[in-house]
Amino acid sequence: MARDIVQVEIKRIPLEIEDSGLGVVELSDLASNVEKYMQRLQEEGEIDTLKQALRTALFFAAQAYLSNQNEGGKRQEEEARLDSLISKLKTSLDNTH
C-alpha cells in the first residue's frame, strides 16, 4: 500500500512528511511558519541551526498546548504530532551536519 508523502522545505532542507492528516497546503504553510520563526531567531543572533529548530519546536508546542488546553483527548494527538515533528527536524538537521 502506497503511503502519502508530502515534501516540504525548511531552510533549504527538504523534508518528507508521511500522511499526518494534513494536506499539502496546510503542511507547506506550517513549514513556512517554522522557517519564518527560525529566521527571527537567527536575526536575534541565534545561529546554531539545531538550537533554532528546538526552540522553534518548543515555541509551536507551547502555542498548540495553550490553544488546545481545553480540548481534552485531542491535545494528546497534537503533542504526539509535535513530538514527531521535533524528532524529524532533529534527524534532518543531524543528517546535514
Side-chain angles (χ1 to χ4, degrees):
M1 182 172 174
R3 296 181 289 173
D4 291 330
I5 303 285
V6 175
Q7 283 205 318
V8 297
E9 189 173 290
I10 299 174
K11 296 192 72 137
R12 294 187 296 260
I13 299 171
L15 300 169
E16 291 185 348
I17 309 298
E18 290 186 35
D19 183 11
S20 62
L22 298 174
V24 174
V25 173
E26 292 88 355
L27 285 171
S28 295
D29 187 49
L30 288 171
S32 175
N33 288 337
V34 167
E35 185 166 349
K36 286 176 188 174
Y37 189 82
M38 288 180 75
Q39 183 63 36
R40 281 194 305 207
L41 290 176
Q42 186 171 344
E43 290 169 0
E44 293 174 6
E46 182 65 60
I47 56 173
D48 179 345
T49 308
L50 178 58
K51 198 171 195 177
Q52 283 178 5
L54 293 173
R55 285 185 59 189
T56 300
L58 183 59
F59 170 79
F60 285 103
Q63 280 192 328
Y65 176 81
L66 291 173
S67 68
N68 294 317
Q69 192 170 15
N70 296 323
E71 292 188 26
K74 188 173 181 181
R75 188 175 108 221
Q76 291 177 340
E77 291 177 32
E78 295 294 331
E79 289 174 351
R81 284 189 207 162
L82 287 169
D83 288 344
S84 176
L85 176 61
I86 290 168
S87 182
K88 288 177 183 178
L89 277 170
K90 186 174 183 321
T91 300
S92 177
L93 289 170
D94 286 346
N95 288 338
T96 61
H97 290 294

